[in-house]
Structures are given as structure tokens and as C-alpha cells.
Amino acid sequence: EAGVAQSPRYKIIEKRQSVAFWCNPISGHATLYWYQQILGQGPKLLIQFQNNGVVDDSQLPKDRFSAERLKGVDSTLKIQPAKLEDSAVYLCASSPDLAVRNLFFGSGTQLSVL
Amino acid sequence: AQSVTQLGSHVSVSEGALVLLRCNYSSSVPPYLFWYVQYPNQGLQLLLKYTTGATLVKGINGFEAEFKKSETSFHLTKPSAHMSDAAEYFCAVSVGSSNTGKLIFGQGTTLQVKP
């Protein structure tokens, strides 16, 4: 089966610019996650969707980050405006349901903010 | 609050030697515990998981981990390291009810395998 697809693979922007990342989960997976992985740290959950509803966005910096999952399939994560500290790898993951035992990760988007 | 601590950000072993990566957790409820591996420029791949039942869990690529409640530990081991094991390893604990919710990851341990 196809894995979690993410694009772009790399993105370089200047601070205060906007950027968007796209994720297409494994077909049929109801739960979708966005994680932020800063260099040298473990991934940190930004937002979790169940179908097209938000389950947890407590760690999402809502003044600059937004995410949506229209139609409960693919998802977009946006940063506007970007800051230097947003430089990180943004990982998308999906699972068949809310049980985290079955979590599948994409390869991530590496963002560099200059 | 649940948390994960991985002891040692870098571990170096010789090829064929024992691999031991340490993980301690903090959880107020029975935890679900995971080990993930991340190769350069790739996403995370599940190595193994502990949910309930047998405390010694076997995973892919010859890795195993033992859940020790009394020590709040979930250390990852492999009897004989291979060059292809060089990667970043993350321990994680589930947050929320035992089988739902989000994962909290440790800081990661980079495993170096020397020829």
C-alpha cells in the first residue's frame, strides 16, 4: 500500500514569509497528525485530526500556524508569518483510528527560515 | 504529566557488539510505549511497541525491549549491532487514555556503529 505522502520535500524561505505544507495520508486512515521536529529534538505534536475534525491542537501556535483537513482526507499546514525558530522538519503521520498503536509517518518537509 | 527521557544523546558501538539504548518514562496511568527509528532524511518507522501482556517485546531487525514497571524503563536492545543499524532512535509514550491520543517523544539517541 502507498505510504503517507508529503510535499514539498524541502523549502527555504525568508522570515515573515508564508509557507504551506501538504500531506496525503494512507487511504482509509481516519486520524492525521502534524508533528514538528526541531534539529536535535524529538517530534512534537502540533495538531491531530479525526476525519475532518480537530482532536488536539493545544501545542499549535495559533497566531501564526493553521491547519485544515477538508473532506477528511489530505491536509495542509500553513505558517504565516514564519519566524527563524520555525526551522524544522514537519512530519505528517496517519493511523486507521485514534489508537496510536498504528501510526505511519511520511518523510517530512524540511523547512529552513533565513 | 507523561514524559520520556532517553539517557545518552549519542551511543557508539562496534559492529557485532551489544546495543543498549535507554529510555525511562513518567506516566500516571499504565503506559503504551514505543520505539521508533529514523534514518537520515526519512520519516519515523515503528520498531516495536508495548501495549499490554508480555513485558518483553520483540520488534523488527532483531531489536527487543523490556517493559519494567518497577524501574519505569523501556530499554531497547539488540545482541549484535550491524552497520545498517546506524540511525536515530526515539522512545515514545502515549498520552491520554491507554490506547488513544498522542505520542510524547524523547529527545532521541543517535546510534553510531563502527566497523
Side-chain angles (χ1 to χ4, degrees), chain A residues 91-102:
Chain A
L91 294 165
C92 179
S94 71
S95 65
D97 51 39
L98 282 174
V100 296
R101 287 165 287 183
N102 300 313

Side-chain angles (χ1 to χ4, degrees), chain B residues 76-90:
Chain B
L76 181 71
T77 61
K78 182 174 181 178
S80 176
H82 192 272
M83 296 297 291
S84 60
D85 294 327
E88 185 89 13
Y89 291 80
F90 293 95

Side-chain angles (χ1 to χ4, degrees), chain A residues 20-91:
Chain A
F21 313 127
W22 175 82
C23 172
N24 189 26
I26 293 173
S27 178
H29 280 196
T31 310
L32 185 146
Y33 309 78
W34 282 103
Y35 279 84
Q36 180 192 57
Q37 186 178 16
I38 294 173
L39 186 65
Q41 299 181 19
K44 182 185 79 172
L45 180 70
L46 292 176
I47 189 167
Q48 176 184 349
F49 292 94
Q50 176 70 4
N51 296 311
N52 61 350
V54 175
V55 175
D56 185 344
D57 63 356
S58 59
Q59 302 271 29
L60 187 73
K62 298 181 185 63
D63 58 333
R64 297 185 301 106
F65 286 66
S66 64
E68 60 183 11
R69 191 184 184 198
L70 300 176
K71 301 180 182 178
V73 183
D74 55 354
S75 175
T76 302
L77 177 69
K78 298 179 180 178
I79 307 175
Q80 179 180 12
K83 293 185 175 182
L84 296 177
E85 59 262 35
D86 298 332
S87 294
V89 176
Y90 291 84
L91 294 165

